[in-house]
Amino acid sequence: MDFLWLFLLYMTFLLLCVSGFCFLRGRSSSSLDAVFHTVEQAFSFVLPTCLQRYIDSCFHTRSVAFVVLHLILDALVFAEYTWEVLDYSLELEMNWMLVFLPYTLISVNLYLFYKCCAVDPGTVTKQNEALCTQVYEYDDVIFHRGSKCPTCHLLKPARSKHCGVCGSCVQRFDHHCVWVNNCIGAMNIRYFLLYLLSLTLTAVSLAVVITGFLLQVVLLSHMMTAAYVDSEGHEEIAGIVFIIQHLFLTFPRIVFTLGFLVILILLLGGYTCFLWYLSITNQTTNEWYKARRWQSSTPGSPKGYSRGILTNMREIFQPHTRYRKQR
Ligand SMILES: *[C@@H]1O[C@H](CO)[C@@H](O)[C@H](O)[C@H]1NC(C)=O
Ligand SMILES: [Zn+2]
Ligand SMILES: [Zn+2]
Protein backbone atom coordinates (compact mmCIF):
# COMPACT_ATOMS: atom_id res chain seq x y z
CA MET A 1 0.00 0.00 0.00
CA ASP A 2 3.00 2.30 0.40
CA PHE A 3 3.08 2.75 -3.30
CA LEU A 4 -0.52 3.88 -3.44
CA TRP A 5 0.15 6.67 -0.98
CA LEU A 6 3.07 7.81 -3.07
CA PHE A 7 0.87 7.72 -6.12
CA LEU A 8 -1.88 9.72 -4.41
CA LEU A 9 0.66 12.28 -3.28
CA TYR A 10 1.95 12.48 -6.81
CA MET A 11 -1.57 13.13 -8.15
CA THR A 12 -2.35 15.72 -5.46
CA PHE A 13 0.81 17.57 -6.31
CA LEU A 14 -0.13 17.48 -9.98
CA LEU A 15 -3.63 18.73 -9.28
CA LEU A 16 -2.32 21.59 -7.18
CA CYS A 17 0.16 22.65 -9.87
CA VAL A 18 -2.33 22.63 -12.69
CA SER A 19 -5.14 24.30 -10.79
CA GLY A 20 -2.66 26.90 -9.57
CA PHE A 21 -1.79 27.76 -13.14
CA CYS A 22 -5.39 27.81 -14.24
CA PHE A 23 -6.37 30.18 -11.45
CA LEU A 24 -3.53 32.46 -12.39
CA ARG A 25 -4.84 32.58 -15.90
CA GLY A 26 -8.00 34.45 -15.04
CA ARG A 27 -6.47 36.38 -12.21
CA SER A 28 -6.74 39.92 -13.47
CA SER A 29 -10.46 39.70 -14.08
CA SER A 30 -11.82 37.15 -11.68
CA SER A 31 -13.63 37.19 -8.40
CA LEU A 32 -11.22 34.76 -6.79
CA ASP A 33 -9.12 37.53 -5.31
CA ALA A 34 -9.53 36.23 -1.77
CA VAL A 35 -8.20 32.83 -2.80
CA PHE A 36 -5.22 34.42 -4.53
CA HIS A 37 -4.50 36.46 -1.52
CA THR A 38 -4.34 33.36 0.68
CA VAL A 39 -2.18 31.53 -1.86
CA GLU A 40 0.07 34.56 -2.15
CA GLN A 41 0.50 34.69 1.59
CA ALA A 42 1.30 31.00 1.73
CA PHE A 43 3.90 31.45 -0.99
CA SER A 44 5.42 34.47 0.70
CA PHE A 45 6.71 32.17 3.45
CA VAL A 46 8.60 29.87 1.14
CA LEU A 47 9.71 32.01 -1.80
CA PRO A 48 12.65 34.40 -1.61
CA THR A 49 11.67 38.07 -1.84
CA CYS A 50 13.32 38.76 -5.18
CA LEU A 51 11.44 35.88 -6.78
CA GLN A 52 8.20 37.09 -5.22
CA ARG A 53 8.76 40.54 -6.63
CA TYR A 54 9.48 39.07 -10.04
CA ILE A 55 6.30 36.95 -10.04
CA ASP A 56 4.33 39.96 -8.88
CA SER A 57 5.72 42.08 -11.71
CA CYS A 58 4.64 39.42 -14.20
CA PHE A 59 1.05 40.20 -13.31
CA HIS A 60 1.26 43.95 -13.25
CA THR A 61 3.37 44.66 -16.29
CA ARG A 62 3.56 42.84 -19.58
CA SER A 63 6.04 40.00 -19.38
CA VAL A 64 6.90 37.00 -21.50
CA ALA A 65 7.44 34.74 -18.47
CA PHE A 66 4.18 32.85 -18.94
CA VAL A 67 4.53 32.65 -22.70
CA VAL A 68 7.90 30.97 -22.19
CA LEU A 69 6.46 28.69 -19.49
CA HIS A 70 3.64 27.73 -21.85
CA LEU A 71 6.12 26.81 -24.59
CA ILE A 72 8.28 24.85 -22.15
CA LEU A 73 5.27 22.81 -20.98
CA ASP A 74 4.31 22.14 -24.61
CA ALA A 75 7.85 21.07 -25.38
CA LEU A 76 8.09 18.78 -22.34
CA VAL A 77 4.85 16.97 -23.07
CA PHE A 78 5.72 16.51 -26.74
CA ALA A 79 9.29 15.45 -26.00
CA GLU A 80 7.98 12.76 -23.67
CA TYR A 81 5.41 11.71 -26.25
CA THR A 82 7.95 11.55 -29.05
CA TRP A 83 10.71 9.75 -27.15
CA GLU A 84 8.64 7.20 -25.28
CA VAL A 85 5.11 6.73 -26.59
CA LEU A 86 5.56 7.18 -30.34
CA ASP A 87 7.93 4.24 -30.97
CA TYR A 88 6.07 1.78 -28.77
CA SER A 89 2.70 2.78 -30.24
CA LEU A 90 3.88 2.25 -33.79
CA GLU A 91 5.43 -1.08 -32.77
CA LEU A 92 2.12 -2.11 -31.26
CA GLU A 93 0.56 -1.26 -34.63
CA MET A 94 -1.78 1.42 -33.43
CA ASN A 95 -3.43 3.49 -36.15
CA TRP A 96 -0.67 5.80 -37.39
CA MET A 97 -3.10 8.60 -38.22
CA LEU A 98 -4.18 8.68 -34.58
CA VAL A 99 -0.58 8.55 -33.39
CA PHE A 100 0.39 11.54 -35.55
CA LEU A 101 -2.79 13.55 -34.96
CA PRO A 102 -1.36 15.38 -31.90
CA TYR A 103 1.41 16.86 -34.08
CA THR A 104 -1.09 18.30 -36.53
CA LEU A 105 -3.20 19.75 -33.75
CA ILE A 106 -0.25 21.30 -31.92
CA SER A 107 0.93 22.98 -35.15
CA VAL A 108 -2.47 24.58 -35.58
CA ASN A 109 -2.47 25.47 -31.90
CA LEU A 110 0.95 27.13 -32.04
CA TYR A 111 -0.12 29.25 -35.00
CA LEU A 112 -3.23 30.39 -33.11
CA PHE A 113 -1.13 30.98 -29.99
CA TYR A 114 1.14 33.24 -32.02
CA LYS A 115 -1.89 35.09 -33.38
CA CYS A 116 -3.30 35.65 -29.89
CA CYS A 117 0.03 37.07 -28.75
CA ALA A 118 0.72 39.23 -31.77
CA VAL A 119 -2.63 40.58 -32.95
CA ASP A 120 -3.74 43.90 -31.53
CA PRO A 121 -6.80 43.18 -29.34
CA GLY A 122 -8.48 46.42 -30.41
CA THR A 123 -6.67 49.18 -28.55
CA VAL A 124 -8.59 52.44 -28.33
CA THR A 125 -6.40 55.32 -29.50
CA LYS A 126 -6.90 59.00 -30.13
CA GLN A 127 -7.31 58.31 -33.86
CA ASN A 128 -9.97 55.62 -33.63
CA GLU A 129 -11.72 56.79 -30.46
CA ALA A 130 -14.72 58.29 -32.27
CA LEU A 131 -15.21 55.24 -34.47
CA CYS A 132 -14.85 52.82 -31.58
CA THR A 133 -17.64 54.49 -29.65
CA GLN A 134 -20.03 53.94 -32.59
CA VAL A 135 -19.64 50.19 -32.81
CA TYR A 136 -21.77 49.21 -29.82
CA GLU A 137 -24.71 50.93 -28.22
CA TYR A 138 -24.45 52.03 -24.62
CA ASP A 139 -26.77 50.14 -22.32
CA ASP A 140 -26.61 52.82 -19.59
CA VAL A 141 -26.38 50.06 -17.01
CA ILE A 142 -22.81 48.84 -17.20
CA PHE A 143 -21.58 51.25 -19.86
CA HIS A 144 -22.53 54.89 -19.71
CA ARG A 145 -22.55 57.34 -22.57
CA GLY A 146 -19.89 60.02 -22.48
CA SER A 147 -17.78 58.52 -19.69
CA LYS A 148 -14.05 58.92 -20.07
CA CYS A 149 -11.21 56.68 -19.06
CA PRO A 150 -9.40 58.41 -16.17
CA THR A 151 -6.05 57.01 -17.32
CA CYS A 152 -6.13 57.41 -21.11
CA HIS A 153 -8.40 60.49 -21.10
CA LEU A 154 -10.28 59.02 -24.06
CA LEU A 155 -13.99 58.37 -24.45
CA LYS A 156 -14.90 54.90 -23.24
CA PRO A 157 -16.62 52.85 -25.97
CA ALA A 158 -19.43 50.54 -24.80
CA ARG A 159 -18.11 47.07 -23.88
CA SER A 160 -14.56 48.35 -23.50
CA LYS A 161 -12.40 48.36 -20.38
CA HIS A 162 -9.09 49.80 -19.40
CA CYS A 163 -6.43 47.15 -18.98
CA GLY A 164 -3.97 48.11 -16.27
CA VAL A 165 -1.35 45.67 -17.51
CA CYS A 166 -1.34 46.85 -21.13
CA GLY A 167 -1.97 50.45 -20.12
CA SER A 168 -4.72 51.13 -22.63
CA CYS A 169 -8.45 50.77 -23.18
CA VAL A 170 -9.45 47.73 -25.20
CA GLN A 171 -12.52 47.46 -27.43
CA ARG A 172 -14.90 44.63 -26.42
CA PHE A 173 -12.58 43.78 -23.55
CA ASP A 174 -12.78 40.20 -22.38
CA HIS A 175 -9.83 39.72 -20.00
CA HIS A 176 -6.09 40.05 -19.86
CA CYS A 177 -4.47 36.67 -20.37
CA VAL A 178 -0.98 36.26 -18.93
CA TRP A 179 -0.42 33.07 -20.94
CA VAL A 180 -0.46 35.02 -24.22
CA ASN A 181 0.81 38.23 -22.63
CA ASN A 182 -1.96 40.18 -24.31
CA CYS A 183 -5.49 41.36 -23.78
CA ILE A 184 -8.32 39.40 -25.31
CA GLY A 185 -10.58 41.85 -27.11
CA ALA A 186 -12.64 42.46 -30.23
CA MET A 187 -9.87 41.75 -32.72
CA ASN A 188 -8.30 38.61 -31.25
CA ILE A 189 -11.05 36.81 -29.36
CA ARG A 190 -11.72 34.64 -32.43
CA TYR A 191 -8.12 33.41 -32.33
CA PHE A 192 -8.37 32.89 -28.61
CA LEU A 193 -11.53 30.78 -28.89
CA LEU A 194 -9.95 28.59 -31.56
CA TYR A 195 -6.71 28.47 -29.60
CA LEU A 196 -8.53 27.09 -26.53
CA LEU A 197 -10.39 24.58 -28.64
CA SER A 198 -7.26 23.34 -30.40
CA LEU A 199 -5.32 23.10 -27.14
CA THR A 200 -8.07 21.01 -25.56
CA LEU A 201 -8.22 18.77 -28.63
CA THR A 202 -4.43 18.36 -28.59
CA ALA A 203 -4.56 17.26 -24.96
CA VAL A 204 -7.46 14.89 -25.70
CA SER A 205 -5.69 13.29 -28.65
CA LEU A 206 -2.50 12.80 -26.62
CA ALA A 207 -4.46 11.28 -23.75
CA VAL A 208 -6.32 8.94 -26.11
CA VAL A 209 -3.10 7.63 -27.69
CA ILE A 210 -1.38 7.19 -24.34
CA THR A 211 -4.40 5.41 -22.83
CA GLY A 212 -4.64 3.19 -25.89
CA PHE A 213 -0.98 2.38 -25.58
CA LEU A 214 -1.21 1.47 -21.88
CA LEU A 215 -4.31 -0.67 -22.52
CA GLN A 216 -2.45 -2.52 -25.27
CA VAL A 217 0.41 -3.18 -22.89
CA VAL A 218 -1.98 -4.53 -20.25
CA LEU A 219 -3.79 -6.76 -22.74
CA LEU A 220 -0.68 -8.07 -24.49
CA SER A 221 1.13 -8.91 -21.28
CA HIS A 222 -1.94 -10.78 -19.94
CA MET A 223 -1.73 -8.75 -16.79
CA MET A 224 -5.47 -9.08 -16.19
CA THR A 225 -5.15 -12.79 -15.57
CA ALA A 226 -1.70 -12.76 -13.98
CA ALA A 227 -1.16 -13.85 -10.41
CA TYR A 228 1.57 -12.97 -7.97
CA VAL A 229 2.83 -14.37 -4.70
CA ASP A 230 2.45 -12.00 -1.76
CA SER A 231 4.79 -11.67 1.22
CA GLU A 232 3.05 -14.49 3.12
CA GLY A 233 3.40 -16.91 0.28
CA HIS A 234 -0.24 -16.87 -0.91
CA GLU A 235 -0.93 -16.68 -4.58
CA GLU A 236 -3.17 -13.76 -5.52
CA ILE A 237 -4.82 -12.56 -8.71
CA ALA A 238 -3.50 -9.21 -9.87
CA GLY A 239 -6.24 -6.60 -9.35
CA ILE A 240 -6.66 -3.18 -10.84
CA VAL A 241 -4.51 -1.61 -8.11
CA PHE A 242 -1.72 -4.00 -8.89
CA ILE A 243 -1.96 -3.15 -12.60
CA ILE A 244 -1.85 0.60 -11.99
CA GLN A 245 1.09 0.08 -9.68
CA HIS A 246 2.86 -2.00 -12.26
CA LEU A 247 2.29 0.51 -15.06
CA PHE A 248 3.37 3.35 -12.83
CA LEU A 249 6.62 1.61 -11.99
CA THR A 250 7.31 0.47 -15.55
CA PHE A 251 6.43 3.75 -17.33
CA PRO A 252 6.57 6.44 -14.61
CA ARG A 253 6.94 9.38 -17.00
CA ILE A 254 4.21 8.21 -19.33
CA VAL A 255 1.71 7.71 -16.50
CA PHE A 256 2.67 11.06 -15.02
CA THR A 257 2.12 12.76 -18.37
CA LEU A 258 -1.26 11.07 -18.68
CA GLY A 259 -2.26 12.31 -15.23
CA PHE A 260 -1.21 15.84 -16.17
CA LEU A 261 -3.18 15.65 -19.42
CA VAL A 262 -6.36 14.36 -17.76
CA ILE A 263 -6.37 17.19 -15.22
CA LEU A 264 -5.57 19.69 -17.96
CA ILE A 265 -8.43 18.40 -20.10
CA LEU A 266 -10.92 18.76 -17.24
CA LEU A 267 -9.90 22.30 -16.34
CA LEU A 268 -9.16 23.59 -19.82
CA GLY A 269 -12.23 21.89 -21.28
CA GLY A 270 -14.41 23.53 -18.65
CA TYR A 271 -12.92 26.93 -19.33
CA THR A 272 -13.23 26.47 -23.10
CA CYS A 273 -16.92 25.60 -22.78
CA PHE A 274 -17.48 28.61 -20.57
CA LEU A 275 -15.86 31.05 -23.00
CA TRP A 276 -17.65 29.56 -26.01
CA TYR A 277 -20.92 29.78 -24.11
CA LEU A 278 -20.29 33.47 -23.39
CA SER A 279 -19.47 34.11 -27.05
CA ILE A 280 -22.56 32.32 -28.28
CA THR A 281 -24.69 34.47 -25.97
CA ASN A 282 -22.91 37.74 -26.94
CA GLN A 283 -21.24 38.41 -23.58
CA THR A 284 -17.68 39.11 -22.56
CA THR A 285 -16.12 37.73 -19.37
CA ASN A 286 -16.00 41.30 -18.11
CA GLU A 287 -19.73 41.82 -18.72
CA TRP A 288 -20.64 38.44 -17.27
CA TYR A 289 -18.75 39.28 -14.12
CA LYS A 290 -20.24 42.75 -13.86
CA ALA A 291 -23.76 41.48 -14.53
CA ARG A 292 -23.41 38.97 -11.72
CA ARG A 293 -22.32 41.66 -9.29
CA TRP A 294 -25.14 43.85 -10.52
CA GLN A 295 -27.67 41.10 -9.96
CA SER A 296 -26.63 40.51 -6.40
CA SER A 297 -27.01 44.17 -5.46
CA THR A 298 -30.16 45.08 -7.41
CA PRO A 299 -33.24 43.08 -8.32
CA GLY A 300 -33.61 42.59 -12.07
CA SER A 301 -30.60 42.51 -14.35
CA PRO A 302 -29.14 44.24 -17.39
CA LYS A 303 -30.86 42.87 -20.45
CA GLY A 304 -29.06 40.47 -22.70
CA TYR A 305 -28.28 41.44 -26.26
CA SER A 306 -28.11 38.08 -27.88
CA ARG A 307 -29.45 38.08 -31.44
CA GLY A 308 -29.13 34.38 -32.07
CA ILE A 309 -26.11 32.11 -32.14
CA LEU A 310 -25.17 32.72 -35.77
CA THR A 311 -25.30 36.51 -35.60
CA ASN A 312 -23.33 36.51 -32.36
CA MET A 313 -20.64 34.26 -33.79
CA ARG A 314 -20.48 36.24 -37.04
CA GLU A 315 -19.74 39.35 -35.04
CA ILE A 316 -16.85 37.57 -33.32
CA PHE A 317 -15.37 36.04 -36.43
CA GLN A 318 -15.91 39.11 -38.61
CA PRO A 319 -15.41 41.97 -36.17
CA HIS A 320 -16.19 45.52 -37.25
CA THR A 321 -13.12 46.69 -39.08
CA ARG A 322 -14.23 50.28 -39.37
CA TYR A 323 -12.05 51.43 -36.53
CA ARG A 324 -9.11 49.35 -37.54
CA LYS A 325 -8.58 50.81 -41.03
CA GLN A 326 -8.36 54.36 -39.82
CA ARG A 327 -5.68 53.83 -37.22
C1 LIG B 1 -24.12 42.17 -28.67
O1 LIG B 1 -24.43 43.03 -27.59
C2 LIG B 1 -24.16 44.41 -27.81
C3 LIG B 1 -24.49 45.16 -26.56
O2 LIG B 1 -23.82 44.67 -25.44
C4 LIG B 1 -24.93 44.92 -29.00
O3 LIG B 1 -24.64 46.29 -29.24
C5 LIG B 1 -24.57 44.11 -30.20
O4 LIG B 1 -25.31 44.53 -31.32
C6 LIG B 1 -24.85 42.65 -29.93
N1 LIG B 1 -24.43 41.88 -31.07
C7 LIG B 1 -25.15 40.89 -31.60
C8 LIG B 1 -24.57 40.20 -32.78
O5 LIG B 1 -26.20 40.55 -31.11
ZN1 LIG C 1 -8.02 53.60 -20.56
ZN1 LIG D 1 -4.08 43.71 -21.13
Side-chain angles (χ1 to χ4, degrees):
M1 267 319 192
D2 278 351
F3 157 78
L4 216 65
W5 282 113
L6 195 74
F7 184 69
L8 279 181
L9 233 97
Y10 207 31
M11 292 309 278
T12 319
F13 172 72
L14 219 79
L15 192 81
L16 278 178
C17 284
V18 181
S19 47
F21 285 131
C22 287
F23 281 142
L24 292 177
R25 156 174 239 140
R27 193 195 138 113
S28 47
S29 65
S30 85
S31 53
L32 291 165
D33 275 346
V35 179
F36 294 132
H37 196 68
T38 323
V39 174
E40 247 168 34
Q41 273 183 337
F43 270 128
S44 67
F45 290 115
V46 281
L47 289 181
T49 331
C50 56
L51 197 61
Q52 274 179 45
R53 228 176 278 147
Y54 176 68
I55 293 178
D56 213 42
S57 76
C58 288
F59 289 106
H60 298 114
T61 49
R62 295 188 72 178
S63 133
V64 290
F66 281 92
V67 176
V68 174
L69 185 63
H70 184 303
L71 292 174
I72 290 177
L73 286 177
D74 275 359
L76 282 178
V77 170
F78 269 87
E80 168 62 21
Y81 183 73
T82 311
W83 299 146
E84 292 210 276
V85 184
L86 193 66
D87 279 355
Y88 288 136
S89 304
L90 291 176
E91 261 172 50
L92 290 176
E93 296 187 339
M94 287 176 66
N95 186 335
W96 66 270
M97 289 237 288
L98 185 66
V99 175
F100 283 100
L101 183 65
Y103 293 102
T104 321
L105 287 171
I106 195 71
S107 315
V108 175
N109 177 255
L110 285 176
Y111 169 74
L112 292 164
F113 180 60
Y114 162 74
K115 278 289 194 183
C116 289
C117 298
V119 168
D120 183 292
T123 311
V124 181
T125 60
K126 202 140 195 63
Q127 288 76 39
N128 66 11
E129 170 191 23
L131 293 158
C132 278
T133 49
Q134 287 163 19
V135 175
Y136 294 111
E137 278 178 20
Y138 289 90
D139 60 359
D140 290 317
V141 178
I142 299 178
F143 305 104
H144 298 276
R145 213 171 299 272
S147 65
K148 281 200 168 187
C149 172
T151 318
C152 319
H153 306 293
L154 296 173
L155 276 178
K156 250 193 165 141
R159 315 194 83 185
S160 74
K161 186 178 184 284
H162 183 85
C163 172
V165 182
C166 301
S168 54
C169 281
V170 174
Q171 177 80 346
R172 200 188 193 278
F173 178 87
D174 195 274
H175 68 285
H176 182 89
C177 177
V178 289
W179 292 103
V180 300
N181 189 28
N182 203 356
C183 267
I184 306 302
M187 305 313 284
N188 65 353
I189 180 130
R190 55 200 152 135
Y191 298 120
F192 192 66
L193 287 170
L194 293 175
Y195 156 78
L196 286 178
L197 194 67
S198 62
L199 193 58
T200 312
L201 289 180
T202 308
V204 169
S205 66
L206 284 169
V208 166
V209 176
I210 295 180
T211 311
F213 161 71
L214 291 177
L215 278 180
Q216 285 269 36
V217 169
V218 170
L219 290 181
L220 287 179
S221 61
H222 304 291
M223 242 182 257
M224 301 297 283
T225 51
Y228 65 97
V229 180
D230 70 8
S231 51
E232 280 140 37
H234 303 298
E235 192 162 288
E236 295 210 31
I237 289 285
I240 191 81
V241 173
F242 178 83
I243 291 177
I244 294 178
Q245 186 170 343
H246 184 77
L247 287 177
F248 192 71
L249 292 176
T250 323
F251 311 104
R253 286 182 298 272
I254 297 183
V255 175
F256 182 75
T257 311
L258 183 62
F260 176 76
L261 287 170
V262 168
I263 294 168
L264 192 73
I265 290 167
L266 293 179
L267 295 172
L268 197 68
Y271 182 65
T272 308
C273 291
F274 171 68
L275 212 65
W276 275 87
Y277 160 76
L278 287 186
S279 305
I280 283 171
T281 52
N282 191 17
Q283 300 175 67
T284 64
T285 308
N286 180 38
E287 288 160 359
W288 175 81
Y289 175 57
K290 288 216 167 115
R292 271 187 20 151
R293 287 236 308 237
W294 212 86
Q295 257 167 4
S296 57
S297 61
T298 347
S301 62
K303 2 181 204 357
Y305 289 94
S306 175
R307 284 208 229 107
I309 294 175
L310 285 181
T311 328
N312 295 342
M313 289 321 276
R314 174 136 30 90
E315 195 178 72
I316 284 183
F317 284 92
Q318 297 173 343
H320 299 268
T321 42
R322 277 187 287 174
Y323 46 88
R324 192 203 226 169
K325 285 183 199 127
Q326 311 234 345
R327 187 148 326 131

